[in-house]
Each structure stands twice: as C-alpha cells, then as structure tokens.
Amino acid sequence: MPDMDLIIDRHLYVVPTLLEIARNYVTEEQSKYVDECLLTMNSDQKELFEVVRELVESTTINLNDSSDSSSSVSEEEYCQKKIIWFDAFGGTGKTFLANAILALSRSLDKVALAVSSSGISATLLTDGVTAHARLKI
C-alpha cells in the first residue's frame, strides 16, 4: 500500500493568484528595460509610448479603499482611460512597443497583463499568454 501522505503532498502545490503573477517583477529591472527601449524607438513608437506613459503615470485606481473618493476613479472612467489600440503592418515594431509599455507599467508597480488572441503572438510578449488561458474562457 503506498504512503498516502506522499501521494497527497505530490499533488499539492501553491497556485499564485493573478495579482501575485502581475506584481512579480523587480521595478528597477523593468525601468532599465524601458530606458533601453527608448534608445532604439523610432519617432512614431516614441510618440505613442509617451501618450501611454502619461496615461499610466497620471491614472491611479484605489482597489483597497472605496471610502476615499478623492483619489480613486470609477471603474468606467478607469477603463476608458486605459484602452489603447495600435495597429500597423508586420515588422514595424508593435511587439517591441507592447513589451516596452508592459515594462513601463510594471516599473511603476502597476498591474500589466500581456494577453493575446493567439499562442504565437502570446509567446512574443513578455510573460504573455492567450486570452483563453489567462481568462479561463
């Protein structure tokens, strides 16, 4: 008869929460990556990056305390300010820019999840996964 403690222990593992995954970055390393990316961005990439930087740095949402309405925004306002779409031909640096934006958010200790519609594109994003895997759909 097998030892039941070993069987149970072998199947127990800690599954990190989505927030723990999203915050598992060293902000200094992410900031250094952003600085390196800025050196090689073209003018169009820099222009969009600066728009996103302004939005990310200026918007905060208070997830812990709903009583302080002066420093938090409504969920609708938050989502409206955070949806950005960029589209271009292949080979123009969309993935490079997306990874720089992810690093920017993570360098500011904000939650940034890289979600993509296909497995190939998900592998190109830093810690990217498909929407099906991340959102369990």
Side-chain angles (χ1 to χ4, degrees), residues 11 31 36-37 39 45 59 63-64 74 108 115 117 134:
H11 296 292
S31 182
E36 292 170 0
C37 288
L39 295 174
Q45 290 170 327
T59 306
L63 298 173
N64 299 320
S74 72
L108 298 171
V115 180
S117 59
R134 176 66 74 212

Side-chain angles (χ1 to χ4, degrees), residues 48 63 88-89 118 136:
L48 182 55
L63 298 173
F89 293 108
S118 74
K136 308 292 186 222

Side-chain angles (χ1 to χ4, degrees), residues 59-75:
T59 306
T60 60
I61 188 165
N62 190 345
L63 298 173
N64 299 320
D65 183 15
S66 60
S67 64
D68 184 12
S69 60
S70 64
S71 66
S72 60
V73 295
S74 72
E75 183 178 345

Side-chain angles (χ1 to χ4, degrees), residues 13-30:
Y13 54 92
V14 177
V15 178
T17 66
L18 195 55
L19 191 57
E20 289 171 336
I21 292 169
R23 296 243 168 144
N24 191 25
Y25 295 95
V26 178
T27 56
E28 294 81 15
E29 290 176 6
Q30 297 297 307

Side-chain angles (χ1 to χ4, degrees), residues 25 27 30 102-110 112-114 126:
Y25 295 95
T27 56
Q30 297 297 307
L102 288 166
L104 168 68
S105 297
R106 293 166 179 165
S107 73
L108 298 171
D109 201 28
K110 307 237 180 177
L113 300 173
T126 306

